[in-house]
Short mmCIF file of all heavy atoms in Angstrom, two decimals:
data_model
loop_
_atom_site.label_atom_id
_atom_site.label_comp_id
_atom_site.label_asym_id
_atom_site.label_seq_id
_atom_site.Cartn_x
_atom_site.Cartn_y
_atom_site.Cartn_z
N HIS A 22 0.85 -1.22 -0.04
CA HIS A 22 -0.01 0.02 0.01
C HIS A 22 0.84 1.26 -0.01
O HIS A 22 2.06 1.16 0.41
CB HIS A 22 -0.91 0.04 1.21
CG HIS A 22 -1.97 -1.05 1.26
ND1 HIS A 22 -2.74 -1.24 2.38
CD2 HIS A 22 -2.36 -1.92 0.30
CE1 HIS A 22 -3.61 -2.24 2.09
NE2 HIS A 22 -3.39 -2.60 0.82
N VAL A 23 0.22 2.36 -0.41
CA VAL A 23 0.87 3.70 -0.22
C VAL A 23 -0.22 4.63 0.30
O VAL A 23 -1.35 4.63 -0.19
CB VAL A 23 1.46 4.23 -1.54
CG1 VAL A 23 0.46 4.27 -2.69
CG2 VAL A 23 2.17 5.52 -1.34
N ARG A 24 0.12 5.39 1.32
CA ARG A 24 -0.79 6.30 2.00
C ARG A 24 -0.32 7.72 1.84
O ARG A 24 0.90 7.95 2.03
CB ARG A 24 -0.95 5.89 3.47
CG ARG A 24 -1.87 6.76 4.24
CD ARG A 24 -2.00 6.39 5.69
NE ARG A 24 -0.68 6.34 6.32
CZ ARG A 24 -0.31 5.37 7.09
NH1 ARG A 24 -1.04 4.28 7.34
NH2 ARG A 24 0.89 5.41 7.69
N THR A 25 -1.18 8.61 1.54
CA THR A 25 -0.87 9.99 1.46
C THR A 25 -1.00 10.57 2.84
O THR A 25 -2.07 10.56 3.42
CB THR A 25 -1.73 10.79 0.48
OG1 THR A 25 -1.64 10.08 -0.75
CG2 THR A 25 -1.32 12.24 0.33
N GLU A 26 0.12 11.20 3.39
CA GLU A 26 0.05 11.80 4.73
C GLU A 26 0.35 13.26 4.63
O GLU A 26 1.30 13.64 3.91
CB GLU A 26 1.12 11.13 5.63
CG GLU A 26 0.87 9.65 5.88
CD GLU A 26 2.01 9.09 6.76
OE1 GLU A 26 3.03 9.71 6.93
OE2 GLU A 26 1.72 8.01 7.30
N LYS A 27 -0.42 14.05 5.34
CA LYS A 27 -0.13 15.45 5.43
C LYS A 27 0.48 15.71 6.81
O LYS A 27 -0.17 15.44 7.82
CB LYS A 27 -1.42 16.29 5.28
CG LYS A 27 -1.17 17.80 5.31
CD LYS A 27 -2.37 18.59 5.14
CE LYS A 27 -2.01 20.11 5.16
NZ LYS A 27 -3.20 20.91 5.08
N ARG A 28 1.70 16.22 6.79
CA ARG A 28 2.38 16.60 8.01
C ARG A 28 2.43 18.12 8.20
O ARG A 28 2.95 18.79 7.31
CB ARG A 28 3.84 15.96 8.02
CG ARG A 28 3.77 14.45 7.86
CD ARG A 28 5.18 13.86 7.74
NE ARG A 28 5.09 12.44 7.50
CZ ARG A 28 6.04 11.69 7.07
NH1 ARG A 28 7.22 12.22 6.92
NH2 ARG A 28 5.88 10.44 6.89
N PRO A 29 1.97 18.54 9.31
CA PRO A 29 1.94 20.03 9.48
C PRO A 29 3.38 20.70 9.39
O PRO A 29 4.36 20.06 9.78
CB PRO A 29 1.49 20.09 10.97
CG PRO A 29 0.80 18.92 11.27
CD PRO A 29 1.42 17.87 10.48
N GLN A 30 3.44 21.76 8.72
CA GLN A 30 4.67 22.47 8.42
C GLN A 30 5.52 21.79 7.42
O GLN A 30 6.49 22.52 6.87
CB GLN A 30 5.47 22.72 9.74
CG GLN A 30 4.63 23.42 10.80
CD GLN A 30 4.13 24.78 10.46
OE1 GLN A 30 4.77 25.56 9.72
NE2 GLN A 30 2.92 25.00 10.86
N ASP A 31 5.43 20.57 7.12
CA ASP A 31 6.28 19.80 6.23
C ASP A 31 5.66 19.66 4.82
O ASP A 31 6.41 19.56 3.87
CB ASP A 31 6.75 18.48 6.75
CG ASP A 31 7.57 18.63 8.01
OD1 ASP A 31 8.27 19.65 8.10
OD2 ASP A 31 7.60 17.71 8.86
N GLY A 32 4.40 19.30 4.80
CA GLY A 32 3.76 19.06 3.52
C GLY A 32 3.23 17.67 3.38
O GLY A 32 3.03 17.01 4.37
N TYR A 33 3.16 17.20 2.15
CA TYR A 33 2.62 15.83 1.90
C TYR A 33 3.71 14.85 1.57
O TYR A 33 4.71 15.19 0.96
CB TYR A 33 1.66 15.91 0.70
CG TYR A 33 0.38 16.61 0.99
CD1 TYR A 33 0.25 18.02 0.80
CD2 TYR A 33 -0.75 15.87 1.48
CE1 TYR A 33 -0.98 18.62 1.07
CE2 TYR A 33 -1.93 16.54 1.77
CZ TYR A 33 -2.03 17.91 1.51
OH TYR A 33 -3.21 18.57 1.80
N PHE A 34 3.55 13.66 2.17
CA PHE A 34 4.46 12.55 1.99
C PHE A 34 3.66 11.34 1.51
O PHE A 34 2.46 11.17 1.89
CB PHE A 34 5.18 12.19 3.30
CG PHE A 34 6.21 13.16 3.70
CD1 PHE A 34 5.90 14.33 4.31
CD2 PHE A 34 7.56 12.85 3.40
CE1 PHE A 34 6.87 15.26 4.76
CE2 PHE A 34 8.53 13.79 3.76
CZ PHE A 34 8.17 14.97 4.45
N PHE A 35 4.30 10.44 0.76
CA PHE A 35 3.71 9.19 0.39
C PHE A 35 4.40 8.12 1.23
O PHE A 35 5.60 7.96 1.17
CB PHE A 35 3.89 8.81 -1.06
CG PHE A 35 3.25 9.86 -2.05
CD1 PHE A 35 4.01 10.40 -3.01
CD2 PHE A 35 1.92 10.13 -1.84
CE1 PHE A 35 3.44 11.35 -3.85
CE2 PHE A 35 1.33 11.01 -2.74
CZ PHE A 35 2.05 11.65 -3.72
N ASN A 36 3.66 7.50 2.12
CA ASN A 36 4.09 6.46 2.99
C ASN A 36 3.90 5.14 2.39
O ASN A 36 2.74 4.67 2.23
CB ASN A 36 3.41 6.57 4.41
CG ASN A 36 3.78 5.33 5.27
OD1 ASN A 36 3.00 4.42 5.39
ND2 ASN A 36 4.97 5.42 5.87
N PHE A 37 4.97 4.42 2.06
CA PHE A 37 4.91 3.06 1.44
C PHE A 37 5.01 2.06 2.55
O PHE A 37 5.97 2.13 3.37
CB PHE A 37 6.00 2.91 0.38
CG PHE A 37 5.81 3.75 -0.86
CD1 PHE A 37 6.25 5.00 -0.91
CD2 PHE A 37 5.10 3.27 -1.95
CE1 PHE A 37 6.12 5.79 -2.03
CE2 PHE A 37 4.94 4.04 -3.08
CZ PHE A 37 5.45 5.31 -3.13
N HIS A 38 4.13 1.11 2.54
CA HIS A 38 4.15 -0.01 3.58
C HIS A 38 3.53 -1.27 3.04
O HIS A 38 2.91 -1.25 1.95
CB HIS A 38 3.41 0.45 4.89
CG HIS A 38 2.00 0.92 4.58
ND1 HIS A 38 1.60 2.11 4.10
CD2 HIS A 38 0.84 0.20 4.75
CE1 HIS A 38 0.33 2.18 4.00
NE2 HIS A 38 -0.22 1.03 4.38
N TYR A 39 3.61 -2.36 3.83
CA TYR A 39 2.94 -3.59 3.41
C TYR A 39 2.37 -4.16 4.64
O TYR A 39 2.61 -3.85 5.75
CB TYR A 39 3.98 -4.56 2.73
CG TYR A 39 5.16 -5.01 3.64
CD1 TYR A 39 5.02 -6.26 4.25
CD2 TYR A 39 6.28 -4.32 3.80
CE1 TYR A 39 6.04 -6.74 5.05
CE2 TYR A 39 7.35 -4.77 4.53
CZ TYR A 39 7.26 -5.94 5.17
OH TYR A 39 8.17 -6.46 5.94
N HIS A 40 1.42 -5.16 4.38
CA HIS A 40 0.70 -5.87 5.44
C HIS A 40 0.95 -7.40 5.18
O HIS A 40 1.10 -7.85 4.09
CB HIS A 40 -0.79 -5.62 5.36
CG HIS A 40 -1.08 -4.17 5.54
ND1 HIS A 40 -1.25 -3.54 6.73
CD2 HIS A 40 -1.26 -3.17 4.55
CE1 HIS A 40 -1.56 -2.26 6.54
NE2 HIS A 40 -1.60 -2.05 5.27
N LEU A 41 0.89 -8.18 6.33
CA LEU A 41 1.09 -9.60 6.33
C LEU A 41 -0.14 -10.23 6.90
O LEU A 41 -0.85 -9.74 7.77
CB LEU A 41 2.34 -9.94 7.10
CG LEU A 41 3.66 -9.50 6.59
CD1 LEU A 41 4.82 -9.69 7.55
CD2 LEU A 41 3.98 -10.18 5.31
N PRO A 42 -0.40 -11.55 6.53
CA PRO A 42 -1.54 -12.23 7.08
C PRO A 42 -1.39 -12.69 8.58
O PRO A 42 -2.36 -12.93 9.23
CB PRO A 42 -1.71 -13.45 6.15
CG PRO A 42 -0.38 -13.67 5.54
CD PRO A 42 0.27 -12.31 5.45
N GLU A 43 -0.14 -12.77 9.00
CA GLU A 43 0.09 -13.20 10.33
C GLU A 43 -0.60 -12.43 11.48
O GLU A 43 -1.02 -12.94 12.48
CB GLU A 43 1.69 -13.25 10.67
CG GLU A 43 2.42 -14.34 9.97
CD GLU A 43 2.75 -13.97 8.55
OE1 GLU A 43 2.92 -12.78 8.22
OE2 GLU A 43 2.89 -14.90 7.71
N ASP A 44 -0.78 -11.10 11.19
CA ASP A 44 -1.46 -10.24 12.16
C ASP A 44 -2.83 -9.79 11.61
O ASP A 44 -3.27 -8.70 12.03
CB ASP A 44 -0.61 -9.11 12.63
CG ASP A 44 -0.20 -8.14 11.52
OD1 ASP A 44 -0.52 -8.45 10.31
OD2 ASP A 44 0.35 -7.10 11.76
N ASP A 45 -3.36 -10.53 10.67
CA ASP A 45 -4.58 -10.19 10.02
C ASP A 45 -4.52 -8.88 9.35
O ASP A 45 -5.51 -8.10 9.26
CB ASP A 45 -5.75 -10.26 11.04
CG ASP A 45 -7.10 -10.48 10.34
OD1 ASP A 45 -7.06 -11.09 9.27
OD2 ASP A 45 -8.12 -9.98 10.88
N TYR A 46 -3.34 -8.54 8.75
CA TYR A 46 -3.12 -7.37 7.86
C TYR A 46 -3.27 -6.08 8.64
O TYR A 46 -3.62 -5.08 8.02
CB TYR A 46 -4.00 -7.38 6.61
CG TYR A 46 -4.09 -8.69 5.91
CD1 TYR A 46 -5.12 -9.53 6.08
CD2 TYR A 46 -2.95 -9.08 5.15
CE1 TYR A 46 -5.12 -10.75 5.33
CE2 TYR A 46 -2.96 -10.28 4.48
CZ TYR A 46 -4.07 -11.13 4.58
OH TYR A 46 -4.07 -12.35 3.91
N GLN A 47 -3.10 -6.05 9.96
CA GLN A 47 -3.30 -4.88 10.78
C GLN A 47 -2.06 -3.97 10.84
O GLN A 47 -2.14 -2.76 10.76
CB GLN A 47 -3.74 -5.28 12.22
CG GLN A 47 -5.06 -5.95 12.27
CD GLN A 47 -6.24 -5.04 11.67
OE1 GLN A 47 -6.30 -3.88 11.98
NE2 GLN A 47 -7.02 -5.64 10.81
N THR A 48 -0.85 -4.55 11.01
CA THR A 48 0.35 -3.76 11.23
C THR A 48 0.82 -3.23 9.96
O THR A 48 0.96 -3.95 8.92
CB THR A 48 1.48 -4.66 11.88
OG1 THR A 48 0.92 -5.22 13.08
CG2 THR A 48 2.67 -3.87 12.17
N HIS A 49 1.29 -1.97 9.95
CA HIS A 49 1.88 -1.28 8.83
C HIS A 49 3.43 -1.55 8.92
O HIS A 49 4.08 -1.09 9.89
CB HIS A 49 1.68 0.20 8.81
CG HIS A 49 0.28 0.55 8.34
ND1 HIS A 49 -0.86 0.47 9.24
CD2 HIS A 49 -0.17 1.09 7.27
CE1 HIS A 49 -1.85 0.89 8.63
NE2 HIS A 49 -1.50 1.30 7.44
N HIS A 50 3.95 -2.35 8.05
CA HIS A 50 5.40 -2.52 7.96
C HIS A 50 5.98 -1.46 6.96
O HIS A 50 5.87 -1.68 5.77
CB HIS A 50 5.72 -4.02 7.47
CG HIS A 50 5.14 -4.98 8.44
ND1 HIS A 50 5.78 -5.46 9.55
CD2 HIS A 50 3.96 -5.65 8.30
CE1 HIS A 50 5.02 -6.33 10.18
NE2 HIS A 50 3.90 -6.50 9.44
N THR A 51 6.50 -0.42 7.55
CA THR A 51 6.96 0.67 6.72
C THR A 51 8.17 0.37 5.83
O THR A 51 9.13 -0.18 6.31
CB THR A 51 7.21 1.91 7.58
OG1 THR A 51 6.03 2.21 8.31
CG2 THR A 51 7.66 3.12 6.73
N LEU A 52 8.09 0.75 4.53
CA LEU A 52 9.17 0.62 3.60
C LEU A 52 9.85 1.96 3.44
O LEU A 52 11.09 2.05 3.14
CB LEU A 52 8.65 0.22 2.27
CG LEU A 52 8.03 -1.16 2.20
CD1 LEU A 52 7.29 -1.38 0.87
CD2 LEU A 52 9.03 -2.28 2.40
N GLY A 53 9.22 3.07 3.67
CA GLY A 53 9.80 4.41 3.50
C GLY A 53 8.78 5.44 3.05
O GLY A 53 7.64 5.17 2.77
N ASP A 54 9.26 6.67 3.10
CA ASP A 54 8.38 7.84 2.75
C ASP A 54 9.05 8.56 1.64
O ASP A 54 10.29 8.63 1.52
CB ASP A 54 8.28 8.82 3.89
CG ASP A 54 7.51 8.20 5.03
OD1 ASP A 54 6.65 7.29 4.85
OD2 ASP A 54 7.79 8.54 6.23
N VAL A 55 8.20 9.13 0.75
CA VAL A 55 8.65 9.96 -0.38
C VAL A 55 7.93 11.32 -0.26
O VAL A 55 6.72 11.32 -0.18
CB VAL A 55 8.40 9.30 -1.77
CG1 VAL A 55 8.74 10.26 -2.87
CG2 VAL A 55 9.20 7.99 -1.87
N TYR A 56 8.72 12.39 -0.23
CA TYR A 56 8.15 13.72 -0.12
C TYR A 56 7.49 14.13 -1.49
O TYR A 56 8.07 13.92 -2.50
CB TYR A 56 9.25 14.66 0.23
CG TYR A 56 8.73 16.13 0.42
CD1 TYR A 56 7.88 16.58 1.37
CD2 TYR A 56 9.08 17.05 -0.58
CE1 TYR A 56 7.46 17.81 1.54
CE2 TYR A 56 8.63 18.37 -0.51
CZ TYR A 56 7.84 18.72 0.55
OH TYR A 56 7.32 20.04 0.63
N TRP A 57 6.28 14.73 -1.37
CA TRP A 57 5.64 15.27 -2.54
C TRP A 57 5.93 16.73 -2.62
O TRP A 57 6.65 17.22 -3.41
CB TRP A 57 4.16 14.92 -2.51
CG TRP A 57 3.36 15.65 -3.57
CD1 TRP A 57 2.54 16.75 -3.43
CD2 TRP A 57 3.34 15.36 -5.00
NE1 TRP A 57 2.03 17.05 -4.63
CE2 TRP A 57 2.53 16.24 -5.63
CE3 TRP A 57 4.02 14.36 -5.73
CZ2 TRP A 57 2.30 16.21 -6.98
CZ3 TRP A 57 3.74 14.33 -7.10
CH2 TRP A 57 2.93 15.28 -7.71
N SER A 58 5.19 17.51 -1.84
CA SER A 58 5.35 19.01 -1.71
C SER A 58 4.38 19.52 -0.69
O SER A 58 3.63 18.78 -0.13
CB SER A 58 5.24 19.75 -3.07
OG SER A 58 3.82 19.80 -3.43
N LYS A 59 4.26 20.81 -0.60
CA LYS A 59 3.31 21.37 0.37
C LYS A 59 1.94 21.46 -0.31
O LYS A 59 0.94 21.69 0.36
CB LYS A 59 3.75 22.74 0.84
CG LYS A 59 4.94 22.66 1.77
CD LYS A 59 5.15 23.95 2.50
CE LYS A 59 6.36 23.68 3.44
NZ LYS A 59 6.41 24.50 4.63
N ASN A 60 1.90 21.26 -1.58
CA ASN A 60 0.56 21.29 -2.37
C ASN A 60 -0.02 19.89 -2.31
O ASN A 60 0.64 18.88 -2.24
CB ASN A 60 0.78 21.69 -3.80
CG ASN A 60 1.38 23.12 -3.88
OD1 ASN A 60 1.11 23.98 -3.07
ND2 ASN A 60 2.27 23.29 -4.88
#
């Protein structure tokens, strides 16, 4: 998955993560963030 996050004062980031069946796909295993911009 990739989630769009708005961080105050920083702008928008794309948070890349994955889910596993072991925890019923609940935990976000983060792969990294990519900065978009303040728009």
Side-chain angles (χ1 to χ4, degrees):
H22 292 171
V23 58
R24 178 179 58 225
T25 304
E26 295 179 344
K27 182 179 181 184
R28 299 179 187 164
Q30 306 299 321
D31 291 336
Y33 288 90
F34 287 81
F35 298 126
N36 172 260
F37 292 88
H38 58 277
Y39 65 96
H40 301 275
L41 296 169
E43 287 82 26
D44 63 353
D45 204 26
Y46 313 104
Q47 295 301 313
T48 305
H49 286 75
H50 301 275
T51 301
L52 297 166
D54 296 329
V55 174
Y56 178 71
W57 172 253
S58 75
K59 292 196 177 208
N60 298 326

